[in-house]
Amino acid sequence: MKNSDITIIGAGLSGPLMASYLSKQGYKVDLFERRSDMRHNLDKSGRSINLALSQRGIKALKDIGLFNSIKKNLIAMEGRMIHDLNGELSLQPYGTSKKEVIYSISRSFLNISLLNHADLDPKIA
């Protein structure tokens, strides 16, 4: 274990993710959040639209060992639907092939999953 401790302020999506990365590097991490724990007060955490998760986000979740447990909750999105002035619809793909998609996931589900994952790590408090 490294000699120095690290403090992270903010337990949104980035805080527990960074804490997990740093813990894997051998650091002891203290994670703080001003708001009450959303796992106990989800109704007070506010509403939020789903998060669009790209390959970069998926890589981060794989790096910390969380991706396999959340992947069943991903919804593939191939592109955006465009509504023109005449009422016609057209799809603008996110990539150049059918394999290039982004994924929709509940922001609160992902945040809770990251917090629970961090809680399992004895180097994260």
Side-chain angles (χ1 to χ4, degrees):
M1 188 177 303
K2 309 253 185 210
N3 290 333
S4 56
D5 294 343
I6 294 178
T7 300
I8 295 176
I9 307 298
L13 296 171
S14 299
L17 177 67
M18 181 56 75
S20 295
Y21 267 119
L22 292 168
S23 172
K24 286 186 176 295
Q25 295 296 314
Y27 291 97
K28 183 181 176 304
V29 181
D30 291 319
L31 180 62
F32 292 95
E33 174 58 53
R34 175 180 54 146
R35 297 171 293 173
S36 61
D37 190 331
M38 71 181 304
R39 295 171 291 182
H40 305 296
N41 299 310
L42 189 56
D43 58 323
K44 294 181 181 179
S45 64
R47 294 187 200 185
S48 180
I49 60 171
N50 279 6
L51 178 77
L53 191 62
S54 68
Q55 289 303 313
R56 188 174 61 204
I58 289 170
K59 180 189 179 313
L61 295 172
K62 286 179 178 179
D63 286 349
I64 67 165
L66 184 60
F67 180 72
N68 286 335
S69 67
I70 63 108
K71 69 180 176 183
K72 65 184 175 291
N73 295 294
L74 298 177
I75 300 168
M77 299 186 298
E78 296 176 10
R80 66 179 60 84
M81 188 62 69
I82 303 300
H83 303 256
D84 71 18
L85 293 174
N86 297 322
E88 299 294 317
L89 302 176
S90 62
L91 180 69
Q92 283 187 350
Y94 288 127
T96 57
S97 77
K98 290 278 187 189
K99 292 181 182 179
E100 295 177 283
V101 298
I102 58 176
Y103 295 91
S104 175
I105 188 167
S106 162
R107 184 181 297 268
S108 58
F109 170 79
L110 182 57
N111 202 165
I112 288 168
S113 298
L114 284 160
L115 289 168
N116 289 339
H117 183 76
D119 274 351
L120 296 174
D121 189 327
K123 289 183 257 164
I124 302 173

